[in-house]
Amino acid sequence: MTDQTKKAVDLFSEAYARSQDEQDPLSSFRSQFIIPTISDLHSKILVPTFQDQPQQCTYLCGNSLGLQPRLTSQYQQHYLHTWATKGVYGHFTEIEDSKLPPWLHVDDDVIGDMCHVVGAKKNEVAVMQTLTANLHLAMASFYRPTAERWKIIIEGKAFPSDHYAVESQLLHHNKDPATSMILLEPEDPENPILSTRQILATIDKHADQTALLLLPGIQFYTGQFFDIPTITAHAQSKGIVVGWDLAHAAGNMPLQLHDWNVDFAAWCSYKYLNCGPGSIGGLFVHERHTKVSTASSSSRPDYTPRLSGWWGSDKSSRFAMENLFTPIAGAGGWQLSNPSVADMTALRASLDIFNKTSLAALRKKSVALTGYLEKLLLASTDVKDCFSIITPSDPEQRGAQLSVRLSPGLLDNVMHVLENKGVVVDERRPDVIRVAPAPLYNSWSDVLRFVQVFREACKDASDKKNQKQTEGSVMVEGGKDDKGWSEVK
Ligand SMILES: Cc1ncc(COP(=O)(O)O)c(C=O)c1O
């Protein structure tokens, strides 16, 4: 491209977005997902009336709930049919034309592919429970307070479930959260990013008394991606155990949990992993914590203490119904219960899609697509006073999501317009909308449509706000004489 043609490119044109989509090597993945139509989104019944040419919505909310892969219902049919026709034999029966293994092995079946997603060895991942439950199970093993070290460092704006989990762990050990929870707060409230420098300094300050550091891979509100290897190594060098909540990072960022020497991590599968609401979670435990010594007839095996259940016990003796818990060597030894086959089936479908590409290819597209979103927003000078982007501008410090902070008083109206026009993003009060182009199913055209509608929404919301303010000041003027000030509060 010459300099002249480069200049002529209009990023806001539909032709440009379409041409980018045509050149996208991952574009065919979009058709493997069910994208809701606008009328389906607005309908209050399960099966809406037939429409000639239903328009797909613009879905940029995979950071909250990923879309349904078409494979999911096919695989769920296999599962339901097996259950219907085999009953309990479904646990053991190999079915030739089913995409699923006997239920007894559904957990093992997904491990290899899940390890790939988070950069772990096969013995370091368990697919089990849910995110908050897994954080608790990990803390039961790795938060072992002593008289010298008992504090937990966490962000002040952590996802509330993580805050509650940490607080309750402290209370469980008779520690006072007010003095034992070290909350990392942004230095500048206008820029709610936590720099690595600040995190390392906080670790240094509390190192002698801190037992555990728990941080998110990607911060849910700002979209900031933390420097996991640097922070992990630094905290560990001070004797602190390090855990990561990867809710917004799993399936979004290439991760190397084993190489980064992370102690433990937990994640969910309903965001970028597209397994459906509340679906099964994941747990990573570094292999140095998962060794199990052989039990003798007189002594129990030696292993990292944990809260246990039968599914974590040695598979070969699981049905022997003896009372000697012998954990599976590996993260699998943290499992409690037999897993939901419906959840595992959804995960199998999801991972079969991830297997058709690579996280490197997805990340490459993601950087470009989120970069396009950022460029369009920054070039939307007509509404520049309505918002700012709080996610770091450095692509290395973010994943797919941009968090857009609206000027006070605009959020409700902006969301109202977006929803009406079939643009799906989510809001985080008081003033942020999160916009996440997921590289598996989003396109340049989606991003362009979002920005077009967002600009309309900002203009509409500002007009309404100005109108309200004008009416308010008229009331104030009038109020002075005959209505009183209280009317305008
Ligand atoms: C960062 C983060 N942590 C924890 C949770 C809680 O997850 P769960 O309800 O699966 O335990 C969420 C849910 O969205 C989240 O985004």
Side-chain angles (χ1 to χ4, degrees), residues 10-57:
D10 175 5
L11 295 180
F12 281 96
S13 77
E14 278 164 26
Y16 172 78
R18 256 198 319 273
S19 76
Q20 292 302 110
D21 289 335
E22 279 159 15
Q23 292 166 42
D24 169 13
L26 302 181
S27 63
S28 63
F29 281 97
R30 182 179 174 89
S31 63
Q32 299 186 30
F33 288 84
I34 303 173
I35 313 228
T37 65
I38 296 179
S39 55
D40 281 352
L41 280 183
H42 295 157
S43 170
K44 295 267 191 275
I45 53 171
L46 273 180
V47 187
T49 46
F50 175 76
Q51 277 184 302
D52 233 359
Q53 284 190 311
Q55 193 193 343
Q56 283 181 339
C57 77

Side-chain angles (χ1 to χ4, degrees), residues 281-325:
L283 176 71
F284 167 90
V285 182
H286 198 280
E287 67 177 356
R288 68 181 177 283
H289 299 303
T290 65
K291 300 195 171 58
V292 180
S293 75
T294 321
S296 69
S297 52
S298 57
S299 71
R300 289 179 173 276
D302 194 27
Y303 52 85
T304 302
R306 68 198 68 188
L307 298 178
S308 316
W310 75 313
W311 220 252
S313 196
D314 176 39
K315 230 175 152 174
S316 62
S317 58
R318 198 182 264 163
F319 289 89
M321 299 296 150
E322 286 166 357
N323 281 339
L324 179 65
F325 176 70

Side-chain angles (χ1 to χ4, degrees), residues 82-380:
T82 305
W83 180 19
T85 57
K86 301 278 183 272
V88 72
Y89 297 157
H91 282 298
F92 317 101
T93 312
E94 287 280 356
I95 299 172
E96 285 168 16
D97 55 348
S98 169
K99 293 286 183 189
L100 308 168
W103 302 332
L104 203 53
H105 306 299
V106 281
D107 44 357
D108 292 342
D109 180 63
V110 291
I111 292 301
D113 295 329
M114 192 56 120
C115 286
H116 205 63
V117 171
V118 295
K121 289 192 177 179
K122 247 185 150 173
N123 59 354
E124 292 177 316
V125 165
V127 172
M128 56 186 263
Q129 308 296 329
T130 52
L131 170 50
T132 310
N134 287 339
L135 288 175
H136 271 301
L137 291 170
M139 283 192 275
S141 291
F142 298 109
Y143 177 57
R144 315 282 296 175
T146 62
E148 291 77 35
R149 282 182 184 267
W150 73 97
K151 292 184 179 174
I152 302 180
I153 302 177
I154 179 176
E155 333 142 74
K157 300 282 179 301
F159 192 84
S161 202
D162 295 28
H163 187 102
Y164 304 149
V166 164
E167 195 173 51
S168 61
Q169 285 282 335
L170 289 165
L171 292 169
H172 184 68
H173 289 279
N174 299 318
K175 304 291 177 204
D176 176 8
T179 51
S180 305
M181 229 167 146
I182 307 302
L183 300 179
L184 278 157
E185 299 289 355
E187 287 164 337
D188 172 8
E190 285 307 302
N191 175 27
I193 299 303
L194 294 169
S195 67
T196 304
R197 176 195 51 71
Q198 185 196 346
I199 297 170
L200 301 192
T202 306
I203 292 169
D204 289 344
K205 187 168 166 204
H206 298 277
D208 291 349
Q209 298 179 327
T210 299
L212 175 70
L213 169 69
L214 179 67
L215 286 177
I218 287 188
Q219 215 283 344
F220 77 98
Y221 185 74
T222 64
Q224 178 188 2
F225 180 50
F226 287 83
D227 184 345
I228 300 177
T230 303
I231 296 168
T232 301
H234 189 77
Q236 287 172 342
S237 75
K238 310 273 168 183
I240 298 168
V241 175
V242 185
W244 292 91
D245 171 344
L246 301 176
H248 291 262
N252 179 11
M253 301 299 282
L255 301 166
Q256 293 299 334
L257 297 184
H258 174 81
D259 290 348
W260 295 342
N261 204 35
V262 161
D263 288 294
F264 70 86
W267 58 95
C268 57
S269 61
Y270 42 80
K271 297 177 186 290
Y272 295 97
L273 291 173
N274 311 311
C275 292
S279 197
I280 199 153
L283 176 71
F284 167 90
V285 182
H286 198 280
E287 67 177 356
R288 68 181 177 283
H289 299 303
T290 65
K291 300 195 171 58
V292 180
S293 75
T294 321
S296 69
S297 52
S298 57
S299 71
R300 289 179 173 276
D302 194 27
Y303 52 85
T304 302
R306 68 198 68 188
L307 298 178
S308 316
W310 75 313
W311 220 252
S313 196
D314 176 39
K315 230 175 152 174
S316 62
S317 58
R318 198 182 264 163
F319 289 89
M321 299 296 150
E322 286 166 357
N323 281 339
L324 179 65
F325 176 70
T326 309
I328 296 168
W334 268 261
Q335 293 172 97
L336 297 183
S337 306
N338 73 105
S340 153
V341 177
D343 282 21
M344 288 293 189
T345 301
L347 184 56
R348 182 67 274 150
S350 160
L351 293 171
D352 279 355
I353 295 179
F354 274 85
N355 283 344
K356 290 184 193 147
T357 176
S358 67
L359 279 157
L362 285 168
R363 173 68 180 152
K364 189 170 174 212
K365 174 174 173 185
S366 178
V367 169
L369 202 53
T370 303
Y372 178 54
L373 170 63
E374 183 182 40
K375 271 196 199 125
L376 290 186
L377 286 171
L378 294 179
S380 297

